[in-house]
Amino acid sequence: MPKIKMPKSSPSIDMTPMVDLAFLLVTFFMLISQFRAEEAAVIDMPSSVSDLIIPDKDIMMILVDKEDKVFYTITGQETRRKVLEKMGEKYQVTFSEEQKKEFSNMSSFGVPIRQLPAYLDAGSPEKKKAIQDKFKGIPTDSTACELCDWVFFGRINAPKFRVAIKGDQVSGYPVIRRVMDILQEKKVNKFNLITNMETGSNP
């Protein structure tokens, strides 16, 4: 009796669930991701052998660029908003709700407080940079030390935040020294200097 040959068929895989899963993962990561705001200054940090990692949150940072301009930032939208309101009250500068929202979403800035409303209304990064280039950063001199007040109100609203200085490798020592003096005047005796991690080892 002849054998009956069963027809051969290739196995089929339904890819629909895998495609659905891929789209779900993409959507999930898009919704939870927080994009870092563009820094107002480009800082080329010096190198060191320290391996301490500075956190991305709960930090107040003072930046000094290669032109010795001083910038300020503090993390947390609500914290930034409260600090801005306190600065507005002290210097009698009024900020609209749109300006407060813009300030709470941006990163560092480097303009005097009275020019800050125009800076916040500028919109594009190019227009903000044009305004910023007209000034020498946040005033730090003893007669009008606005940085002193930014640090003070930052500490009032976020006393447990870590404080750090991020300076360019060609920043002048007097400016960095002045920033450190301001921190000590405001009773901030513990702070970090942010550097790049050295690669390799010396022979």
Side-chain angles (χ1 to χ4, degrees), residues 30-47:
M30 286 177 63
L31 291 175
I32 67 167
S33 297
Q34 293 184 351
F35 297 97
R36 185 189 297 271
E38 184 179 357
E39 292 284 0
V42 178
I43 307 293
D44 185 13
M45 298 176 293
S47 299

Side-chain angles (χ1 to χ4, degrees), residues 169-180:
Q169 62 181 349
V170 298
S171 299
Y173 174 77
V175 181
I176 300 295
R177 178 72 257 182
R178 175 58 182 155
V179 170
M180 295 170 68

